Amino acid sequence: MSAERILYPCYFDATLQRREGRRVPKELGVKSPDLPAIEAVLRKMKVPYRLEEHHHPARWAEREGRLVAEWGGSKEDLIRRVAKRLGDRK
Protein backbone atom coordinates (compact mmCIF):
# COMPACT_ATOMS: atom_id res chain seq x y z
CA MET A 1 0.00 0.00 0.00
CA SER A 2 1.52 3.31 -1.02
CA ALA A 3 0.76 6.77 0.22
CA GLU A 4 0.97 10.15 -1.45
CA ARG A 5 4.00 12.21 -0.47
CA ILE A 6 4.16 15.87 -1.51
CA LEU A 7 7.52 17.25 -2.65
CA TYR A 8 8.23 20.95 -3.19
CA PRO A 9 11.42 22.16 -4.91
CA CYS A 10 12.25 24.32 -1.88
CA TYR A 11 12.79 21.13 0.17
CA PHE A 12 16.05 20.61 -1.75
CA ASP A 13 17.27 24.24 -2.10
CA ALA A 14 20.61 24.67 -0.32
CA THR A 15 20.30 28.48 -0.48
CA LEU A 16 17.22 28.51 1.79
CA GLN A 17 16.98 28.36 5.57
CA ARG A 18 14.98 25.61 7.27
CA ARG A 19 12.24 28.10 8.18
CA GLU A 20 11.92 28.95 4.47
CA GLY A 21 11.06 25.35 3.60
CA ARG A 22 14.37 23.46 3.18
CA ARG A 23 14.04 19.89 4.50
CA VAL A 24 17.52 18.49 3.79
CA PRO A 25 20.93 19.35 5.24
CA LYS A 26 22.71 22.04 3.21
CA GLU A 27 25.32 19.54 1.99
CA LEU A 28 22.56 17.41 0.44
CA GLY A 29 20.79 20.39 -1.11
CA VAL A 30 21.34 21.91 -4.53
CA LYS A 31 21.18 25.47 -5.75
CA SER A 32 17.80 26.39 -7.29
CA PRO A 33 16.25 22.95 -7.83
CA ASP A 34 13.34 22.86 -10.25
CA LEU A 35 10.46 20.50 -10.98
CA PRO A 36 11.98 18.96 -14.15
CA ALA A 37 15.10 17.91 -12.20
CA ILE A 38 13.03 16.34 -9.42
CA GLU A 39 10.79 14.71 -12.03
CA ALA A 40 13.82 13.15 -13.70
CA VAL A 41 14.99 11.70 -10.39
CA LEU A 42 11.56 10.23 -9.60
CA ARG A 43 11.37 8.77 -13.10
CA LYS A 44 14.79 7.09 -12.63
CA MET A 45 13.65 5.75 -9.26
CA LYS A 46 10.48 4.45 -10.97
CA VAL A 47 8.28 6.27 -8.45
CA PRO A 48 4.84 7.19 -9.84
CA TYR A 49 4.06 10.89 -9.45
CA ARG A 50 1.93 13.75 -10.73
CA LEU A 51 2.51 17.49 -11.03
CA GLU A 52 0.32 20.06 -9.31
CA GLU A 53 0.26 23.84 -9.48
CA HIS A 54 0.32 24.49 -5.75
CA HIS A 55 2.86 26.43 -3.72
CA HIS A 56 4.64 25.83 -0.44
CA PRO A 57 2.90 27.70 2.41
CA ALA A 58 6.15 29.35 3.56
CA ARG A 59 6.84 30.52 -0.02
CA TRP A 60 3.37 31.56 -1.12
CA ALA A 61 4.66 34.26 -3.50
CA GLU A 62 6.72 31.71 -5.44
CA ARG A 63 4.69 29.69 -7.92
CA GLU A 64 7.09 26.78 -8.28
CA GLY A 65 4.60 23.89 -8.22
CA ARG A 66 4.87 20.56 -6.46
CA LEU A 67 5.05 16.84 -7.13
CA VAL A 68 2.81 14.26 -5.49
CA ALA A 69 4.65 10.93 -5.38
CA GLU A 70 3.24 7.48 -4.60
CA TRP A 71 5.63 6.22 -1.92
CA GLY A 72 5.05 3.51 0.68
CA GLY A 73 7.92 4.53 2.96
CA SER A 74 8.40 7.62 5.06
CA LYS A 75 8.40 11.07 3.51
CA GLU A 76 11.82 11.81 5.03
CA ASP A 77 13.27 8.70 3.39
CA LEU A 78 11.91 9.78 0.00
CA ILE A 79 13.22 13.34 0.45
CA ARG A 80 16.72 12.11 1.32
CA ARG A 81 16.82 9.64 -1.59
CA VAL A 82 15.73 12.34 -4.04
CA ALA A 83 18.21 14.83 -2.56
CA LYS A 84 21.12 12.41 -2.95
CA ARG A 85 20.26 11.79 -6.60
CA LEU A 86 19.77 15.50 -7.26
CA GLY A 87 23.24 16.09 -5.84
CA ASP A 88 24.67 13.49 -8.22
CA ARG A 89 23.24 15.47 -11.18
CA LYS A 90 25.32 18.61 -10.40
Side-chain angles (χ1 to χ4, degrees), residues 42-81:
L42 290 175
R43 223 179 350 262
K44 273 190 170 180
M45 292 173 60
K46 296 184 182 353
V47 175
Y49 67 90
R50 70 177 184 274
L51 289 170
E52 292 185 348
E53 292 187 29
H54 293 274
H55 58 273
H56 188 276
R59 298 172 49 84
W60 60 270
E62 303 291 325
R63 299 291 181 189
E64 54 193 4
R66 71 182 186 186
L67 290 139
V68 180
E70 294 290 326
W71 182 257
S74 74
K75 183 172 182 174
E76 288 305 314
D77 182 41
L78 176 61
I79 289 171
R80 285 192 175 269
R81 287 178 188 224

Side-chain angles (χ1 to χ4, degrees), residues 1 5 12 14 18 24 31-32 34-35 42-43 58-59 61 64-65 80 83-84:
M1 179 172 148
R5 308 295 184 202
F12 309 99
R18 290 274 185 171
V24 297
K31 184 179 177 185
S32 303
D34 56 1
L35 285 179
L42 290 175
R43 223 179 350 262
R59 298 172 49 84
E64 54 193 4
R80 285 192 175 269
K84 286 177 182 173

